[in-house]
Amino acid sequence: MDPLQFLVPLGWLSAVGPVLPYAIFVMTVANLATRHLAHKRHVEQGQDADSVEAYTPHVFTNVGLVLLSFLFILDSPVSGTILSVLVLAMFIADFFELEARNVEARNDMEIEAPKSSIAASLVVLVWSSYYALFFVIEGFWNQFVVA
């Protein structure tokens, strides 16, 4: 008996659960791509105006990662919690980096790259690739790591 079966109907999760690591990995790669495009757009906006706006596709990938990581908690509680903490740290870093870009644009400073959110998204990429691409290193891993 699953302890959450009375709170959340988990029947559909058995079909979706095995695909979640791959969806999170794809969304993380898309997030890195939209982060690059958002930075290019912020540089252009910073040269033309006194503020920068959030890049909608990047906001979509951020929210998608948060939702997918919360779903991953239901499928794999420990791994999902670790991933959710990392994704939420990236989400918060993105928020503060956007505000920092606004300050730079208002003060006619050079728009810098969002270093902390890039670092956080790379940590999320490493963690999500471990779950999605474990089959690549599984044989090597099982030779040296005793579970």
Side-chain angles (χ1 to χ4, degrees):
M1 180 167 91
D2 196 349
L4 293 176
Q5 75 182 13
F6 298 111
L7 298 175
V8 180
L10 296 176
W12 61 272
L13 192 60
S14 62
V16 176
V19 181
L20 280 175
Y22 303 109
I24 291 170
F25 178 71
V26 169
M27 190 68 84
T28 305
V29 172
N31 185 276
L32 283 168
T34 59
R35 183 177 313 283
H36 177 69
L37 295 174
H39 175 64
K40 286 174 51 175
R41 185 167 178 231
H42 290 164
V43 169
E44 292 171 2
Q45 287 177 346
Q47 292 171 352
D48 298 337
D50 286 342
S51 67
V52 296
E53 296 176 1
Y55 188 57
T56 306
H58 186 62
V59 172
F60 173 76
T61 58
N62 274 342
V63 172
L65 268 174
V66 169
L67 294 176
L68 285 173
S69 67
F70 287 164
L71 275 178
F72 195 49
I73 288 176
L74 294 176
D75 184 54
S76 178
V78 174
S79 304
T81 302
I82 294 169
L83 181 66
S84 294
V85 167
L86 296 174
V87 168
L88 286 175
M90 182 193 71
F91 185 79
I92 292 169
D94 270 341
F95 175 73
F96 284 108
E97 288 286 352
L98 180 64
E99 292 303 316
R101 301 299 78 86
N102 275 321
V103 169
E104 291 170 353
R106 271 194 304 268
N107 294 326
D108 294 326
M109 299 168 64
E110 181 182 345
I111 304 293
E112 295 182 5
K115 296 177 189 98
S116 65
S117 58
I118 289 172
S121 63
L122 289 176
V123 171
V124 171
L125 178 69
V126 167
W127 194 258
S128 66
S129 64
Y130 172 76
Y131 285 110
L133 304 175
F134 185 73
F135 65 90
V136 173
I137 62 164
E138 186 173 14
F140 179 75
W141 184 270
N142 288 336
Q143 286 179 354
F144 296 104
V145 177
V146 178

